[in-house]
Amino acid sequence: MYQGLLAETVTVVGHNDDEIGAYLARPLGPGPFPGVLVIHHAPGWDTATKEIARRFAYEGYIAICPNLYHRFGPDLSTDDAAAAARAGGWVTTEQFLADAAGALRHVRGLPVSNGKVGAIGYCSGGRQSFLAACELPVDAAIDCYGAFVVNGSPPEMPLRMEPVIDRAPKISCPILGLFGVEDTRPSPDEVAQIDAELTRLGKEHEFHSFQNAGHGFFAVDRTMYRVEAAVEGWRLILDFYGRHLA
Amino acid sequence: MCSYVVEKTALTGSAKAAGTWSPINTAVVSVDHPFHAPVEHALIVDFTNAGRPVSERVALELSVASARELIACMQTALDAFGEGG
């Protein structure tokens, strides 16, 4: 069977009608293909996250990963953009949601789209994927170890990260949560609280917590990588999207 | 986790990178996932000069244990020097 994919940077219209960069990877061929919004982690629009987008394309999805740090400098290196984000207060929830909405529109506007788009995010992107499930028209959402969903940031932190669990009544799609039992943010107790709240609200969801894994177990370029959790995690992701985005 | 722990402080001094000295007036200090250091979390310090491009910053990523040792070492040196400067 022939396999091929196209990966390139594109422009999407985001918050304030700003044009921002996005990495788009999709299978070659006429489709129709489902889409995935890939939300990068706090270290930025980096090589490993773009590799995740290409993996989704390999698996038959149109993956789009907007550069949430575009406004700090579209041509900055990944580490410089992350430094600018640290110094500049990261990005607001409002800006993220509008940028993500622009990426969703871009995918759905492609002739090869089947109209369905899921969201997935890692680390800070996990919380943002949860936000997308609450606020945006996504068809399935995956939260990979997102912190500050049920508890906000500690009061001693200068940057306040608000919890987002209060938005859960607005969730309009199934949720998959993937966590490590050794993580501290989110801790197993926090994961249990999110799970319980989604159950209480009658929101379709499935949570998996992996032994011998902490935060960031999908990160192939970091010491947190855990092969068993990552391999099983990818299987669960593809099964979940296969059921909800086909 | 992505901790979002960030502190800033003004300072007076200079830093050298790529063979060139530059004045610096700000340090942005965070404890979060590093870009390059092979540790889960690092003390990240970006020494910057306001108004200059972020690409000209002088950056450090230290393991948390190393950072604590460095802070103690610096404090010891400053204590040995005494007041003034």
Side-chain angles (χ1 to χ4, degrees):
Chain A
M1 182 181 75
Y2 175 76
Q3 286 186 313
L5 60 85
L6 171 69
E8 60 179 347
T9 50
V10 298
T11 298
V12 303
V13 179
H15 185 60
N16 284 337
D17 289 332
D18 294 340
E19 292 189 342
I20 65 168
Y23 189 74
L24 188 138
R26 64 173 174 84
L28 295 178
F33 304 114
V36 177
L37 168 68
V38 179
I39 306 166
H40 66 70
H41 55 174
W45 197 50
D46 61 359
T47 302
T49 308
K50 291 169 185 170
E51 190 174 319
I52 289 169
R54 290 194 297 275
R55 169 72 185 269
F56 277 116
Y58 172 81
E59 302 287 355
Y61 295 84
I62 305 165
I64 191 162
C65 179
N67 179 7
L68 302 177
Y69 296 164
H70 181 98
R71 294 170 187 80
F72 292 113
D75 298 319
L76 291 177
S77 65
T78 301
D79 64 310
D80 286 345
R86 287 194 294 272
W90 311 98
V91 299
T92 64
T93 294
E94 179 185 24
Q95 180 175 304
F96 158 71
L97 288 171
D99 287 353
L104 295 174
R105 283 193 301 272
H106 186 93
V107 169
R108 289 194 169 108
L110 296 174
V112 294
S113 167
N114 76 348
K116 293 191 175 182
V117 186
I120 187 169
Y122 304 82
C123 199
S124 59
R127 175 177 177 275
Q128 289 168 321
S129 184
F130 191 93
L131 269 169
C134 300
E135 305 289 349
L136 298 177
V138 293
D139 298 290
I142 303 176
D143 169 4
C144 299
Y145 35 81
F148 307 128
V149 170
V150 68
N151 293 325
S153 54
E156 64 271 20
M157 274 179 56
L159 178 69
R160 178 68 184 160
M161 298 296 292
E162 296 296 335
V164 294
I165 194 70
D166 59 320
R167 301 178 190 234
K170 292 190 281 184
I171 289 173
S172 59
C173 68
I175 303 254
L176 172 66
L178 301 174
F179 308 96
V181 298
E182 297 171 6
D183 203 344
T184 56
R185 291 181 185 172
S187 67
D189 180 60
E190 287 174 294
V191 171
Q193 289 181 56
I194 303 167
D195 192 0
E197 179 64 2
L198 295 184
T199 299
R200 187 185 73 80
L201 293 169
K203 302 297 182 182
E204 182 179 353
H205 69 289
E206 55 181 273
F207 279 16
H208 301 265
S209 294
F210 297 100
Q211 300 294 322
N212 190 36
H215 199 78
F217 59 79
F218 279 113
V220 295
D221 59 342
R222 294 176 182 271
T223 57
M224 309 107 90
Y225 180 67
R226 295 292 181 273
V227 61
E228 291 178 344
V231 168
E232 176 62 7
W234 268 108
R235 189 192 69 76
L236 291 166
I237 288 167
L238 296 173
D239 173 70
F240 179 73
Y241 279 160
R243 285 182 280 123
H244 296 293
L245 300 181
Chain B
M1 68 290 188
C2 298
S3 71
Y4 294 104
V5 172
V6 180
E7 298 284 346
K8 291 184 190 178
T9 187
L11 46 76
T12 300
S14 293
K16 187 177 182 181
T20 303
W21 281 98
S22 301
I24 54 172
N25 57 24
T26 305
V28 180
V29 180
S30 61
V31 183
D32 219 315
H33 303 311
F35 179 80
H36 188 271
V39 292
E40 184 171 345
H41 295 98
L43 181 85
I44 304 169
V45 187
D46 294 314
F47 294 106
T48 64
N49 188 8
R52 299 300 303 164
V54 67
S55 58
E56 293 183 10
R57 79 194 192 285
V58 176
L60 295 175
E61 294 179 342
L62 303 172
S63 73
V64 172
S66 297
R68 294 188 195 284
E69 291 170 10
L70 177 62
I71 291 166
C73 178
M74 294 165 75
Q75 190 63 56
T76 299
L78 287 169
D79 290 346
F81 174 78
E83 297 299 317

